[in-house]
Amino acid sequence: MENNYYATFTQRVDNIRVVIKKPLTLTEKILFTHFYNKSDIRTYERGKDYANFQPDRVAMQDATAQMAILQFMISGKKQSALPASVHCDHLIQAYAGAENDLETAKTMNKEVYDFLQSACDKYGIVFWKPGAGIIHQTVLENYAFPGGMMIGTDSHTPNAGGLGMLAIGVGGADAVDVMTGMEWELKMPNIIGVRLSGKLSGWASSKDIILKLAGILTVKGGTNSVVEYFGEGAKNISATGKATICNMGAEIGATSSVFPFDDEMRQYLRATGRSDIAEAANEAKDYLRADNEVLADPEKYYNRVIDIDLSSLEPYVNGPFTPDAATPISALAEKVKKMGYPDTVEVGLIGSCTNSSFQDLDKVASLAMQAKEKKLAIHSQLIINPGSKMIEHTESVKILEDSGAKIMANACGPCIGQWKRIVDDNTRSNTIVNSFNRNFAKRADGNPNTHSFVASPEITMALAIAGSLSFNPLKDKLKNNVGEWVMLEPPSGNKFPPNGFPDVEKGFITPSFKTKQVIVAPDSQRLQLLHPFSAWDGNDFKNMPLLIKTKGKCTTDHISMAGQWLRFRGHLENISDNLLMGAINAFNGETNRVMNQENDTYDAVSTVAKYYKSKKISSIVIAEDNYGEGSSREHAAMEPRFLNVKVILAKSFARIHETNLKKQGMLAVTFSNPDDYEKIRENDRISITGLAYFSPGKPLTAILEHADGTKESFNVNHTYNDIQIEWFKAGSALNYNGLT
């Protein structure tokens, strides 16, 4: 597929320039060469116009793949229309260590793994077995290629941008559309240019680039935008370092992130056994970057340009509780003291899809060796999640294991709440540091008082050695086991194992198409066949009781928790029991306790929603900014839909979640005036009117009926286009497309 791609890529780009009549960014080249209909090439208004695309492949992790495949099964299609893969990395709990945890997962999740493997075999999807690796590292090692385009049912799919691929996180319904051969719709993104100059040195790493950028743009500053990196500094970053930066672009809300092709990518492709792709891409290298005119005058062609000088960049530690709380390490000790954060670092966690490459672990191993040579104890518990089998079997991992680190399976583990952490009190205030991408409250271990900080692997290791969040390895000394004061030297690490990656069985199964029937037991508590949602009845939504008015940050973790709930990702009815259980009720400051307006009692959000549903009563959710930030999990959209919530009215939405709501036939609207949020009272009945004239750009009306008999109304906005309105009317995108 890749060689065929490059055979025509340059000519297609030349043709696009003729039509567009302007120089092109790299993002535009990739997008325009992937239009579903080649005749769609024209000038698009960024951030407003929609376009239809045909990606090169789909990647799914096991937690989201269940719902995606269940939806695909009702499409009537016999096989995936394009290359697709399923990676079993989410359902393995980190506890006793790689070998034991993997065997436990195979036993506990056998029903799900058997379902996924049989469905993959039937529908022509490559199945990566549990223990094979973390999805994004595995994709980088095997599937990503410069100039390509892919979608994945995980928000950190943009990791493939480290190899110059435009990779976009989506919900399962989007993946199903593409797998059935349909066009995939996306709002033409704005493009943020990040110009990198200089060269990283000392303790600074590629992770610090995105940690700094998160502080600049915040968790929603990249919404509906692709972040395109360029400049001489980009050439000095390894392919896996670039992948780290692109991966964590999800934390600024970016649609995707991408780097131009360079020799670092060429080296990585060769090292991972893809020399043919490396050379084909090299032949087209002038096309796999922004045009010269764009690079000469970037402010003219990007919506915004941000400059970062790598030579002066210092390490960052972001957190707690949000990945955009960026603090340079030189200011961290003062912040810890001022804010009263627990200074003792109890656990250092290294790995995840963001930082589990060989180079990452080799740098950390160099610090472990230093600690041994300098007679320093490692004061914090150390947990390592390698990215793949190729990395797991390297000398660097063995060095870390010998240093006392616990090596977990090649899986997400603590990063997504799959961590069985044994502590004396799971509500105690404490600090952990990790090389992950997210640090929302309760995400890693379920403890709302765990202060989780995000840093590079090497800074995470340094803080774990010191056992103190206030430690600055750039200037501070540590007292060793014999009473000497010593300093850690900056880490060093190879990009690839000196003798090449180990020759190991990668752990994937290619489809044979021998499976005739995918079985789901009727009484299964893990899997449940889907039924199409009902179409819109043609009426306005009237007198809906308020289900919950959420206060503050409401991520997909708050809407549909991970952790122990991952086991129900293939069972819509069961997982709906966690609906919005982490959201804070604006009226009482509590979680999972809302008013049932029918009987004036308080109960869990899902319990109240189920009660309304049993009485054929629709309900509504009110929220603040960036509602649905975080994971791509479409369960956060399917659960309210399943429990008869008709409308989500927020100040603003995160991109993926807004799309997921639309795909499932929900009405996602925003306050025209954000201050109207304050008008919502706990026992309000709310109507959304004007649906008979539902059309692009035309506001709808919200009417509040207060318990005291008074009424007030205001406009609410939406971003639905003509096709998305048809999804709403049909009850879902799948219904509209006639696949049911």
Side-chain angles (χ1 to χ4, degrees):
M1 178 184 69
E2 292 85 351
N3 289 333
N4 290 337
Y5 178 83
Y6 293 121
T8 61
F9 179 70
T10 57
Q11 184 60 56
R12 282 182 288 153
V13 172
D14 287 337
N15 292 341
I16 291 165
R17 285 202 196 97
V18 170
V19 176
I20 300 298
K21 294 182 174 59
K22 76 175 186 68
L24 300 172
T25 64
L26 173 60
T27 300
E28 289 171 319
K29 291 177 185 179
I30 299 175
L31 287 173
F32 286 20
T33 55
H34 285 86
F35 280 139
Y36 191 83
N37 294 312
K38 307 311 176 190
S39 60
D40 286 347
I41 297 172
R42 59 177 175 82
T43 299
Y44 287 80
E45 184 176 348
R46 296 176 187 172
K48 181 177 179 180
D49 293 340
Y50 285 84
N52 295 321
F53 298 94
Q54 186 173 43
D56 298 305
R57 70 164 43 249
V58 172
M60 298 169 278
Q61 39 93 337
D62 50 351
T64 51
Q66 295 172 64
M67 198 58 71
I69 287 176
L70 286 165
Q71 291 178 86
F72 185 81
M73 287 171 63
I74 61 174
S75 73
K77 298 293 183 179
K78 293 183 178 180
Q79 77 176 80
S80 175
L82 78 169
S85 56
V86 166
H87 304 257
C88 295
D89 64 354
H90 271 55
L91 300 180
I92 304 170
Q93 187 178 53
Y95 173 52
E99 187 174 345
N100 291 335
D101 292 347
L102 184 56
E103 290 307 311
T104 299
K106 288 178 180 177
T107 300
M108 291 185 64
N109 303 314
K110 185 178 187 303
E111 180 184 12
V112 173
Y113 291 150
D114 287 349
F115 164 75
L116 291 173
Q117 184 176 338
S118 63
C120 285
D121 189 68
K122 177 178 173 63
Y123 296 117
I125 302 167
V126 176
F127 177 77
W128 288 78
K129 296 182 287 188
I134 301 173
I135 176 173
H136 307 307
Q137 180 64 33
T138 305
V139 167
L140 197 71
E141 292 174 0
N142 296 273
Y143 297 137
F145 66 94
M149 182 181 187
M150 70 174 287
I151 60 171
T153 60
D154 189 280
S155 54
H156 295 101
T157 298
N159 188 82
L163 275 181
M165 189 177 211
L166 196 65
I168 301 172
V170 298
D174 285 39
V176 172
D177 285 351
V178 173
M179 289 165 64
T180 58
M182 291 171 45
E183 64 270 25
W184 176 62
E185 184 188 64
L186 177 73
K187 183 184 289 184
M188 196 61 76
N190 292 311
I191 307 175
I192 298 172
V194 177
R195 179 167 43 204
L196 303 178
S197 59
K199 188 175 184 179
L200 294 167
S201 62
W203 285 88
S205 76
S206 57
K207 184 68 167 283
D208 299 308
I209 298 170
I210 187 62
L211 292 175
K212 178 181 177 68
L213 190 62
I216 295 171
L217 290 175
T218 77
V219 292
K220 61 178 183 177
T223 303
N224 291 322
S225 300
V226 169
V227 180
E228 183 174 316
Y229 294 85
F230 66 98
E232 288 301 310
K235 299 176 183 178
N236 299 318
I237 303 170
S238 68
T240 52
K242 291 178 172 76
T244 290
I245 296 166
C246 293
N247 177 297
M248 201 174 160
E251 270 46 74
I252 57 175
T255 300
S256 190
S257 300
V258 67
F259 276 84
F261 177 78
D262 59 18
D263 196 56
E264 291 290 343
M265 295 184 191
R266 188 181 183 190
Q267 289 180 37
Y268 186 82
L269 287 165
R270 286 173 168 174
T272 51
R274 293 173 286 171
S275 294
D276 54 339
I277 298 175
E279 299 317 309
N282 194 54
E283 288 292 318
K285 63 183 179 182
D286 291 338
Y287 288 78
L288 292 169
R289 59 177 177 83
D291 286 340
N292 290 332
E293 297 90 336
V294 174
L295 299 176
D297 190 8
E299 284 79 8
K300 182 177 179 180
Y301 298 98
Y302 295 110
N303 294 86
R304 178 179 180 182
V305 176
I306 297 171
D307 282 285
I308 297 178
D309 177 12
L310 305 186
S311 299
S312 62
L313 183 68
E314 66 174 296
Y316 274 73
V317 179
N318 287 22
F321 308 129
T322 184
D324 60 348
T327 305
I329 199 159
S330 59
L332 184 61
E334 182 181 349
K335 183 177 181 179
V336 170
K337 184 177 180 180
K338 179 181 178 181
M339 301 302 295
Y341 298 145
D343 186 61
T344 299
V345 176
E346 297 193 6
V347 191
L349 302 118
I350 295 168
S352 86
C353 65
T354 315
N355 279 115
S356 59
S357 69
F358 173 77
Q359 185 180 31
D360 290 327
L361 299 190
D362 202 38
K363 284 185 177 182
V364 174
S366 78
L367 291 172
M369 292 292 290
Q370 273 196 58
K372 181 179 180 181
E373 293 164 359
K374 296 175 185 288
K375 299 181 176 58
L376 287 167
I378 299 177
H379 286 87
S380 306
Q381 181 187 7
L382 196 59
I383 292 176
I384 311 291
N385 284 83
S388 70
K389 281 193 171 185
M390 291 204 309
I391 296 166
E392 177 188 23
H393 291 90
T394 58
E395 181 66 22
S396 300
V397 174
K398 186 178 186 306
I399 290 171
L400 290 168
E401 187 172 27
D402 291 343
S403 74
K406 181 169 285 188
I407 309 301
M408 298 298 186
N410 308 322
C412 302
C415 185
I416 58 164
Q418 282 287 61
W419 180 22
K420 187 177 180 181
R421 185 183 182 191
I422 306 301
V423 292
D424 55 345
D425 178 5
N426 201 37
T427 62
R428 176 176 53 82
S429 183
N430 72 102
T431 286
I432 64 175
V433 182
N434 60 68
S435 70
F436 305 161
N437 41 50
R438 292 191 178 134
N439 55 353
F440 303 143
K442 301 174 71 173
R443 182 173 176 88
D445 61 1
N447 180 356
N449 298 310
T450 291
H451 294 61
S452 180
F453 293 85
V454 178
S456 67
E458 44 267 61
I459 291 296
T460 299
M461 183 63 173
L463 297 181
I465 291 172
S468 168
L469 189 62
S470 299
F471 174 66
N472 181 354
L474 282 71
K475 68 179 185 65
D476 295 343
K477 292 183 177 181
L478 295 170
K479 192 173 185 179
N480 69 9
N481 296 333
V482 294
E484 300 169 331
W485 288 94
V486 298
M487 282 191 73
L488 291 170
E489 301 297 325
S492 60
N494 295 305
K495 298 170 187 174
F496 316 109
N499 298 318
F501 284 107
D503 185 14
V504 295
E505 191 270 321
K506 289 187 176 182
F508 66 88
I509 301 173
T510 54
S512 70
F513 297 98
K514 292 181 179 178
T515 299
K516 302 301 180 185
Q517 184 71 31
V518 178
I519 304 298
V520 175
D523 60 348
S524 172
Q525 294 302 300
R526 299 288 301 271
L527 298 163
Q528 183 185 52
L529 294 175
L530 295 177
H531 301 284
F533 289 127
S534 299
W536 175 54
D537 65 6
N539 297 312
D540 287 332
F541 296 138
K542 293 185 177 180
N543 302 314
M544 296 177 290
L546 173 68
L547 179 61
I548 183 173
K549 178 181 177 180
T550 71
K551 179 182 179 181
K553 185 185 288 284
C554 193
T555 71
T556 49
D557 278 2
H558 296 86
I559 304 167
S560 176
M561 285 189 175
Q564 62 176 328
W565 291 94
L566 283 171
R567 68 187 189 275
F568 296 131
R569 285 286 181 87
H571 199 294
L572 182 55
E573 185 173 1
N574 284 347
I575 199 169
S576 293
D577 286 340
N578 75 6
L579 176 65
L580 285 157
M581 67 185 303
I584 296 174
N585 184 344
F587 298 106
N588 57 23
E590 298 184 43
T591 59
N592 214 25
R593 189 167 183 268
V594 297
M595 174 187 285
N596 183 329
Q597 291 192 32
E598 292 294 294
N599 54 29
D600 292 327
T601 62
Y602 283 83
D603 217 324
V605 181
S606 63
T607 301
V608 175
K610 285 180 181 178
Y611 182 89
Y612 290 154
K613 180 180 179 180
S614 71
K615 302 293 184 180
K616 295 182 171 53
I617 298 171
S618 302
S619 59
I620 183 173
V621 170
I622 306 296
E624 294 201 75
D625 278 311
N626 211 29
Y627 181 79
E629 170 193 345
S631 169
S632 69
R633 69 191 70 151
E634 65 187 319
H635 302 76
M638 296 183 78
E639 290 176 35
R641 181 75 165 98
F642 179 75
L643 293 180
N644 211 31
V645 177
K646 297 296 188 185
V647 182
I648 310 293
L649 171 56
K651 291 183 180 179
S652 66
F653 289 96
R655 176 192 63 86
I656 298 177
H657 187 63
E658 182 179 27
T659 300
N660 286 346
L661 290 168
K662 292 177 179 180
K663 287 275 183 176
Q664 301 303 334
M666 293 282 291
L667 184 62
V669 289
T670 57
F671 292 97
S672 296
N673 179 1
D675 292 340
D676 288 336
Y677 167 89
E678 303 298 336
K679 297 177 179 178
I680 311 295
R681 302 177 190 174
E682 187 174 26
N683 51 4
D684 277 352
R685 294 281 176 152
I686 304 171
S687 300
I688 302 294
T689 63
L691 289 173
Y693 308 100
F694 195 10
S695 58
K698 183 179 177 63
L700 300 170
T701 301
I703 301 172
L704 309 181
E705 296 187 31
H706 302 309
D708 61 7
T710 61
K711 290 185 179 182
E712 51 188 321
S713 64
F714 49 81
N715 284 346
V716 293
N717 297 331
H718 67 86
T719 62
Y720 288 74
N721 60 27
D722 288 325
I723 296 299
Q724 292 169 346
I725 290 171
E726 294 304 317
W727 297 346
F728 168 78
K729 292 178 178 179
S732 72
L734 274 177
N735 290 358
Y736 170 71
N737 291 315
L739 301 177
T740 55

